Short mmCIF file of all heavy atoms in Angstrom, two decimals:
data_model
loop_
_atom_site.label_atom_id
_atom_site.label_comp_id
_atom_site.label_asym_id
_atom_site.label_seq_id
_atom_site.Cartn_x
_atom_site.Cartn_y
_atom_site.Cartn_z
N HIS S 86 -14.77 -17.32 28.32
CA HIS S 86 -14.24 -16.24 27.48
C HIS S 86 -12.79 -16.59 27.14
O HIS S 86 -12.15 -17.36 27.86
CB HIS S 86 -14.30 -14.91 28.22
CG HIS S 86 -15.69 -14.55 28.67
ND1 HIS S 86 -16.69 -14.22 27.79
CD2 HIS S 86 -16.25 -14.50 29.91
CE1 HIS S 86 -17.80 -13.96 28.46
NE2 HIS S 86 -17.57 -14.13 29.75
N VAL S 87 -12.29 -16.00 26.04
CA VAL S 87 -10.96 -16.39 25.55
C VAL S 87 -10.13 -15.16 25.26
O VAL S 87 -10.58 -14.25 24.55
CB VAL S 87 -11.09 -17.21 24.24
CG1 VAL S 87 -9.71 -17.54 23.67
CG2 VAL S 87 -11.89 -18.48 24.46
N LEU S 88 -8.92 -15.13 25.79
CA LEU S 88 -7.95 -14.11 25.40
C LEU S 88 -6.81 -14.83 24.70
O LEU S 88 -6.08 -15.60 25.34
CB LEU S 88 -7.45 -13.35 26.63
CG LEU S 88 -6.56 -12.15 26.32
CD1 LEU S 88 -7.24 -11.16 25.39
CD2 LEU S 88 -6.18 -11.43 27.61
N CYS S 89 -6.72 -14.62 23.38
CA CYS S 89 -5.79 -15.41 22.57
C CYS S 89 -4.60 -14.54 22.15
O CYS S 89 -4.77 -13.39 21.75
CB CYS S 89 -6.53 -15.91 21.33
SG CYS S 89 -5.50 -16.90 20.23
N GLU S 90 -3.41 -15.11 22.23
CA GLU S 90 -2.22 -14.40 21.77
C GLU S 90 -2.33 -14.14 20.25
O GLU S 90 -3.10 -14.78 19.55
CB GLU S 90 -0.95 -15.21 22.08
CG GLU S 90 -0.24 -14.73 23.34
CD GLU S 90 0.18 -13.26 23.27
OE1 GLU S 90 0.23 -12.69 22.17
OE2 GLU S 90 0.47 -12.67 24.31
N LYS S 91 -1.55 -13.18 19.78
CA LYS S 91 -1.46 -12.96 18.34
C LYS S 91 -0.66 -14.12 17.74
O LYS S 91 0.11 -14.76 18.48
CB LYS S 91 -0.82 -11.60 18.03
CG LYS S 91 0.59 -11.40 18.61
CD LYS S 91 1.65 -12.14 17.86
CE LYS S 91 3.01 -12.12 18.41
NZ LYS S 91 3.90 -13.15 17.84
N PRO S 92 -0.77 -14.41 16.46
CA PRO S 92 -1.68 -13.82 15.49
C PRO S 92 -3.09 -14.37 15.68
O PRO S 92 -3.26 -15.42 16.30
CB PRO S 92 -1.10 -14.31 14.15
CG PRO S 92 -0.53 -15.65 14.48
CD PRO S 92 0.03 -15.51 15.87
N VAL S 93 -4.06 -13.66 15.12
CA VAL S 93 -5.45 -14.07 15.28
C VAL S 93 -5.70 -15.45 14.67
O VAL S 93 -6.58 -16.18 15.15
CB VAL S 93 -6.39 -12.99 14.66
CG1 VAL S 93 -6.13 -12.82 13.17
CG2 VAL S 93 -7.84 -13.31 14.91
N ALA S 94 -4.92 -15.82 13.67
CA ALA S 94 -5.11 -17.12 13.01
C ALA S 94 -3.86 -17.44 12.19
O ALA S 94 -2.98 -16.61 12.04
CB ALA S 94 -6.32 -17.07 12.09
N LEU S 95 -3.85 -18.65 11.66
CA LEU S 95 -2.72 -19.10 10.85
C LEU S 95 -2.71 -18.44 9.47
O LEU S 95 -1.66 -18.25 8.85
CB LEU S 95 -2.83 -20.62 10.70
CG LEU S 95 -1.61 -21.48 10.49
CD1 LEU S 95 -0.57 -21.24 11.56
CD2 LEU S 95 -2.01 -22.95 10.47
N ASN S 96 -3.89 -18.10 8.98
CA ASN S 96 -4.03 -17.45 7.66
C ASN S 96 -5.39 -16.76 7.59
O ASN S 96 -6.20 -16.89 8.51
CB ASN S 96 -3.87 -18.46 6.52
CG ASN S 96 -4.81 -19.64 6.70
OD1 ASN S 96 -6.00 -19.46 6.91
ND2 ASN S 96 -4.28 -20.86 6.64
N ALA S 97 -5.62 -16.04 6.48
CA ALA S 97 -6.83 -15.22 6.39
C ALA S 97 -8.10 -16.08 6.34
O ALA S 97 -9.13 -15.70 6.91
CB ALA S 97 -6.74 -14.33 5.15
N ILE S 98 -8.03 -17.23 5.71
CA ILE S 98 -9.23 -18.09 5.62
C ILE S 98 -9.65 -18.52 7.02
O ILE S 98 -10.82 -18.41 7.42
CB ILE S 98 -8.97 -19.32 4.73
CG1 ILE S 98 -8.77 -18.87 3.28
CG2 ILE S 98 -10.10 -20.35 4.82
CD1 ILE S 98 -8.37 -19.97 2.33
N GLU S 99 -8.67 -18.96 7.79
CA GLU S 99 -8.97 -19.39 9.16
C GLU S 99 -9.42 -18.18 10.01
O GLU S 99 -10.34 -18.29 10.84
CB GLU S 99 -7.74 -20.05 9.80
CG GLU S 99 -8.05 -20.82 11.06
CD GLU S 99 -6.80 -21.29 11.81
OE1 GLU S 99 -5.84 -20.53 11.92
OE2 GLU S 99 -6.82 -22.44 12.29
N GLY S 100 -8.81 -17.03 9.76
CA GLY S 100 -9.17 -15.81 10.49
C GLY S 100 -10.61 -15.41 10.22
O GLY S 100 -11.34 -15.01 11.15
N LYS S 101 -11.04 -15.53 8.97
CA LYS S 101 -12.43 -15.15 8.64
C LYS S 101 -13.42 -16.12 9.30
O LYS S 101 -14.47 -15.70 9.80
CB LYS S 101 -12.62 -15.12 7.12
CG LYS S 101 -12.00 -13.86 6.53
CD LYS S 101 -12.02 -13.82 5.01
CE LYS S 101 -11.22 -12.60 4.55
NZ LYS S 101 -10.83 -12.65 3.15
N ALA S 102 -13.06 -17.40 9.34
CA ALA S 102 -13.94 -18.38 10.00
C ALA S 102 -14.02 -18.07 11.50
O ALA S 102 -15.09 -18.18 12.12
CB ALA S 102 -13.39 -19.80 9.77
N PHE S 103 -12.90 -17.65 12.08
CA PHE S 103 -12.86 -17.29 13.51
C PHE S 103 -13.76 -16.06 13.77
O PHE S 103 -14.51 -16.00 14.74
CB PHE S 103 -11.40 -17.00 13.89
CG PHE S 103 -11.08 -17.02 15.36
CD1 PHE S 103 -11.95 -17.56 16.31
CD2 PHE S 103 -9.86 -16.51 15.81
CE1 PHE S 103 -11.62 -17.57 17.67
CE2 PHE S 103 -9.52 -16.52 17.16
CZ PHE S 103 -10.41 -17.04 18.10
N ALA S 104 -13.66 -15.08 12.85
CA ALA S 104 -14.49 -13.86 13.00
C ALA S 104 -15.98 -14.23 12.88
O ALA S 104 -16.82 -13.66 13.58
CB ALA S 104 -14.09 -12.82 11.96
N ASP S 105 -16.30 -15.18 11.99
CA ASP S 105 -17.71 -15.62 11.87
C ASP S 105 -18.16 -16.28 13.17
O ASP S 105 -19.28 -16.08 13.64
CB ASP S 105 -17.87 -16.64 10.72
CG ASP S 105 -17.72 -15.97 9.36
OD1 ASP S 105 -17.81 -14.72 9.31
OD2 ASP S 105 -17.51 -16.69 8.37
N PHE S 106 -17.25 -17.09 13.76
CA PHE S 106 -17.58 -17.75 15.03
C PHE S 106 -17.84 -16.68 16.10
O PHE S 106 -18.80 -16.76 16.86
CB PHE S 106 -16.43 -18.68 15.45
CG PHE S 106 -16.66 -19.32 16.79
CD1 PHE S 106 -17.37 -20.51 16.89
CD2 PHE S 106 -16.18 -18.73 17.96
CE1 PHE S 106 -17.60 -21.11 18.14
CE2 PHE S 106 -16.41 -19.31 19.21
CZ PHE S 106 -17.12 -20.50 19.29
N GLU S 107 -16.97 -15.69 16.13
CA GLU S 107 -17.14 -14.61 17.12
C GLU S 107 -18.49 -13.93 16.96
O GLU S 107 -19.21 -13.71 17.93
CB GLU S 107 -16.01 -13.58 16.93
CG GLU S 107 -16.17 -12.34 17.79
CD GLU S 107 -15.05 -11.32 17.56
OE1 GLU S 107 -14.88 -10.85 16.41
OE2 GLU S 107 -14.35 -10.98 18.52
N GLU S 108 -18.84 -13.65 15.70
CA GLU S 108 -20.10 -12.94 15.44
C GLU S 108 -21.30 -13.77 15.89
O GLU S 108 -22.29 -13.24 16.39
CB GLU S 108 -20.19 -12.61 13.95
CG GLU S 108 -21.21 -11.55 13.67
CD GLU S 108 -21.32 -11.21 12.19
OE1 GLU S 108 -20.49 -11.70 11.38
OE2 GLU S 108 -22.26 -10.47 11.86
N SER S 109 -21.18 -15.10 15.72
CA SER S 109 -22.32 -15.96 16.06
C SER S 109 -22.35 -16.34 17.55
O SER S 109 -23.22 -17.08 17.98
CB SER S 109 -22.34 -17.21 15.18
OG SER S 109 -21.15 -17.92 15.41
N HIS S 110 -21.36 -15.86 18.32
CA HIS S 110 -21.34 -16.13 19.77
C HIS S 110 -21.17 -14.81 20.54
O HIS S 110 -20.16 -14.60 21.23
CB HIS S 110 -20.20 -17.10 20.12
CG HIS S 110 -20.41 -18.47 19.58
ND1 HIS S 110 -20.27 -18.78 18.25
CD2 HIS S 110 -20.81 -19.61 20.20
CE1 HIS S 110 -20.55 -20.06 18.07
NE2 HIS S 110 -20.89 -20.58 19.22
N PRO S 111 -22.15 -13.92 20.44
CA PRO S 111 -21.98 -12.58 21.02
C PRO S 111 -21.83 -12.58 22.54
O PRO S 111 -21.34 -11.61 23.10
CB PRO S 111 -23.26 -11.84 20.59
CG PRO S 111 -24.24 -12.90 20.23
CD PRO S 111 -23.47 -14.09 19.77
N ASP S 112 -22.22 -13.67 23.20
CA ASP S 112 -22.10 -13.68 24.68
C ASP S 112 -20.70 -14.05 25.15
O ASP S 112 -20.36 -13.90 26.33
CB ASP S 112 -23.10 -14.68 25.29
CG ASP S 112 -24.52 -14.21 25.03
OD1 ASP S 112 -24.70 -13.01 24.75
OD2 ASP S 112 -25.43 -15.06 25.06
N ILE S 113 -19.88 -14.59 24.24
CA ILE S 113 -18.51 -14.95 24.61
C ILE S 113 -17.57 -13.83 24.15
O ILE S 113 -17.63 -13.43 22.98
CB ILE S 113 -18.08 -16.27 23.93
CG1 ILE S 113 -19.02 -17.42 24.31
CG2 ILE S 113 -16.63 -16.61 24.22
CD1 ILE S 113 -18.80 -18.00 25.67
N HIS S 114 -16.74 -13.35 25.04
CA HIS S 114 -15.74 -12.35 24.64
C HIS S 114 -14.49 -13.08 24.14
O HIS S 114 -13.95 -13.93 24.86
CB HIS S 114 -15.34 -11.46 25.82
CG HIS S 114 -16.43 -10.53 26.26
ND1 HIS S 114 -16.18 -9.25 26.71
CD2 HIS S 114 -17.77 -10.67 26.28
CE1 HIS S 114 -17.31 -8.66 27.01
NE2 HIS S 114 -18.30 -9.51 26.77
N ILE S 115 -14.06 -12.76 22.94
CA ILE S 115 -12.81 -13.33 22.43
C ILE S 115 -11.89 -12.14 22.10
O ILE S 115 -12.20 -11.35 21.20
CB ILE S 115 -13.04 -14.20 21.18
CG1 ILE S 115 -14.09 -15.28 21.46
CG2 ILE S 115 -11.71 -14.84 20.74
CD1 ILE S 115 -14.45 -16.14 20.26
N GLY S 116 -10.81 -12.02 22.85
CA GLY S 116 -9.88 -10.91 22.64
C GLY S 116 -8.58 -11.41 22.04
O GLY S 116 -8.19 -12.57 22.23
N ILE S 117 -7.91 -10.54 21.28
CA ILE S 117 -6.63 -10.90 20.64
C ILE S 117 -5.55 -9.96 21.16
O ILE S 117 -5.74 -8.74 21.23
CB ILE S 117 -6.73 -10.79 19.09
CG1 ILE S 117 -7.92 -11.62 18.56
CG2 ILE S 117 -5.41 -11.22 18.43
CD1 ILE S 117 -7.85 -13.11 18.81
N CYS S 118 -4.38 -10.53 21.48
CA CYS S 118 -3.28 -9.75 22.08
C CYS S 118 -2.46 -9.02 21.03
O CYS S 118 -1.35 -9.45 20.69
CB CYS S 118 -2.37 -10.66 22.89
SG CYS S 118 -3.07 -11.15 24.43
N LEU S 119 -3.02 -7.94 20.51
CA LEU S 119 -2.23 -6.99 19.71
C LEU S 119 -2.04 -5.78 20.62
O LEU S 119 -2.65 -4.73 20.44
CB LEU S 119 -2.96 -6.66 18.41
CG LEU S 119 -2.95 -7.78 17.36
CD1 LEU S 119 -3.90 -7.48 16.21
CD2 LEU S 119 -1.53 -8.02 16.81
N GLN S 120 -1.22 -5.98 21.63
CA GLN S 120 -1.17 -5.05 22.76
C GLN S 120 -0.60 -3.68 22.40
O GLN S 120 -0.86 -2.71 23.11
CB GLN S 120 -0.36 -5.68 23.92
CG GLN S 120 1.13 -5.75 23.74
CD GLN S 120 1.60 -6.97 22.95
OE1 GLN S 120 0.78 -7.75 22.48
NE2 GLN S 120 2.91 -7.13 22.81
N ASN S 121 0.14 -3.60 21.28
CA ASN S 121 0.76 -2.30 20.97
C ASN S 121 -0.25 -1.21 20.64
O ASN S 121 0.07 -0.03 20.69
CB ASN S 121 1.79 -2.44 19.85
CG ASN S 121 3.02 -3.20 20.32
OD1 ASN S 121 3.11 -3.57 21.49
ND2 ASN S 121 3.95 -3.46 19.42
N ARG S 122 -1.48 -1.62 20.30
CA ARG S 122 -2.52 -0.60 20.09
C ARG S 122 -2.77 0.21 21.36
O ARG S 122 -3.30 1.30 21.30
CB ARG S 122 -3.83 -1.26 19.66
CG ARG S 122 -3.85 -1.69 18.22
CD ARG S 122 -5.29 -1.84 17.78
NE ARG S 122 -5.40 -2.52 16.50
CZ ARG S 122 -6.52 -2.61 15.81
NH1 ARG S 122 -7.63 -2.09 16.30
NH2 ARG S 122 -6.55 -3.24 14.66
#
Side-chain angles (χ1 to χ4, degrees):
H86 303 291
V87 176
L88 187 56
C89 180
E90 261 301 343
K91 59 75 186 164
V93 61
L95 208 53
N96 53 50
I98 293 174
E99 195 189 42
K101 284 174 187 163
F103 198 14
D105 289 344
F106 176 87
E107 173 181 59
E108 197 180 352
S109 61
H110 293 74
D112 294 340
I113 302 283
H114 290 216
I115 306 176
I117 306 298
C118 285
L119 286 169
Q120 74 276 3
N121 289 357
R122 283 201 193 190

